Amino acid sequence: MLFDYPTLKLIWWLLVGVLLVGFAIMDGHDMGVGTLLPFVGKDDVERRIVINTVGPHWDGNQVWFITGGGAIFAAWPLVYATAFSGFYWAMLAVLWALFFRPVGFDYRSKINNPTWRQTWDWGLFVGGAVPPLIFGVAFGNLFQGVPFHFADNLMPYYTGSFWGLLNPFALLCGVVSTAMITFHGAIYLMHRTEGAVQRRTQTAMLVFGSLLLLGFSAAGVWLWQGIDGYAIVSAVDAGALPNPLDKEVIRQPGAWLANYDKAPLTMVLPALAYAGTLAAMLLAVNRATLAAFVASSLAIVGVIGTAGASLFPFVMPSSTDLRSGLTVYDSVSSHLTLNIMLWATLIFMPIIIAYTGWAYKVMAGKVTAAYIRENDHAAY
C-alpha cells in the first residue's frame, strides 16, 4: 500500500519527531547520568556504580541518534544540507563532545590511577552535558529564524556566525534542554542505585526538575510576548514537488502559538510536559522510580512535542529571506523515497525496540558497591 505524497510528508514529520523523542529518552538518560557523574559519586567505587548503570547500554542507545540523523538526511535533504551548513561549528562541537563517551567508557578503568580516572570522569561529563545544551540552543534559534537564504537554483547560503547562535533566548532553550536530559538521567540513576549515591541523585533530580519547569515556563512566556513568529499567507499545495521559494511568509506577533487555537488538542503537549515532570518528581521521591522514569519520558514527549507543534509547518524558518524558510511540505525527498523509507522504518523500528527492551530486562536491577568490588576487573 502506497500513501499519497501529502500524507507521507506529514507522516515523516511525525516520524522524525518520534526519532528525536526516542533519542532524548534513550540516549538522553545516558547523557544525564554522565552529566551527574562527577557530582553524585564521591569516590571511585561510587563513580563506578554510576558508570555501570549505563555502561552496558549507552552504545546501543546511540542507534537513536544515528537513525535520527539518517532520517533527516533522507527525508528532509534540504533541512540537512542547510542546518549542517549554518550550524557547522555547533554540530562539530557536539561530535567532539561525543568523542569523550566511547573513549571514556572504554579507557577509564584501564589504569588504576586517581588522576587518570578523574580525567575520564570529567570527559564523560562533557560528553553528557554539551550535546543537549547545543541541541537546545539550536531549537531556540529555529524559533527566531536562521539567517540563510536560497538562490534561484536552491543553493543554500548561510549568512550568520557561530557566536550569533548564542543569543539569550537560545541559551534559555539550551538550559531547558540540559535540565530536561539531566532530570531524566537522575530518575534513571535513582532507579538503578541505592544508598548515598541515590540520595545525592534525588537532590539533583529535584534541582533539575524545578529548573526544567521554570525554564520551560520562561521560554513559553518569552515566545508569547517577545518573539514574532512566522506564518504562511499564500496557498500551500501539499502535493507539489519541493520548492521552498514558492510561498509567501510574514512575521507576526503570536504566530508561534496560532496552532494551539487551530488545533486545541495540541494543548495536551505542554500540559504533558508539566504533568510528567511533576509526577516524575513525586514518584521518584516516593521511590516509585520505574513509574517516575515513565513519567519523565512523557515529560520529554511534552517538551519536544510542544516545540514541534509550535513550529509546524515550519522546520527551519529563515530570518533573512522569509520565503526561504523550510517547511514540512517543501523540504522533503521524493514520493518514492519517502514510501520506501516508511516501510523500512515499519520493519526495523519494532526490532530495535524489542531488542532494547530485552537488553534492559536482562541487565535490570540495582548496581551496588558489593557488585563493583566483586567485579573489580570488569570493563567499567
Side-chain angles (χ1 to χ4, degrees), residues 32-57:
V33 169
T35 302
L36 293 170
L37 171 63
F39 308 105
V40 299
K42 297 302 183 182
D43 57 36
D44 186 61
V45 171
E46 289 185 346
R47 291 186 178 186
R48 288 188 68 189
I49 289 172
V50 173
I51 291 171
N52 273 267
T53 63
V54 296
H57 304 291

Side-chain angles (χ1 to χ4, degrees), residues 109-133:
S109 294
K110 297 294 185 184
I111 300 176
N112 188 8
N113 177 277
T115 302
W116 171 270
R117 292 187 173 187
Q118 288 173 15
T119 300
W120 288 118
D121 289 341
W122 285 105
L124 290 171
F125 164 79
V126 171
V130 170
L133 175 64

Side-chain angles (χ1 to χ4, degrees), residues 62-128:
Q62 288 283 106
V63 168
W64 291 95
F65 179 60
I66 297 168
T67 305
I72 294 173
F73 171 76
W76 294 342
L78 287 177
V79 174
Y80 187 92
T82 306
F84 275 77
S85 296
F87 300 152
Y88 180 77
W89 287 108
M91 292 299 103
L92 276 183
V94 169
L95 292 175
W96 289 333
L98 289 175
F99 290 158
F100 285 104
R101 301 183 76 204
V103 292
F105 282 114
D106 288 343
Y107 288 104
R108 181 200 183 274
S109 294
K110 297 294 185 184
I111 300 176
N112 188 8
N113 177 277
T115 302
W116 171 270
R117 292 187 173 187
Q118 288 173 15
T119 300
W120 288 118
D121 289 341
W122 285 105
L124 290 171
F125 164 79
V126 171

Side-chain angles (χ1 to χ4, degrees), residues 179-229:
M180 177 181 73
I181 294 302
T182 309
F183 172 68
H184 189 55
I187 297 287
Y188 179 77
L189 192 56
M190 286 187 66
H191 181 62
R192 296 296 309 279
T193 60
E194 59 185 21
V197 172
Q198 189 184 63
R199 289 193 295 273
R200 294 187 202 108
T201 303
Q202 177 176 307
T203 301
M205 178 273 298
L206 293 172
V207 169
F208 284 100
S210 301
L211 184 60
L212 171 58
L213 292 172
L214 290 172
F216 186 69
S217 300
V221 172
W222 197 334
L223 203 61
W224 173 38
Q225 296 288 346
I227 297 178
D228 291 345

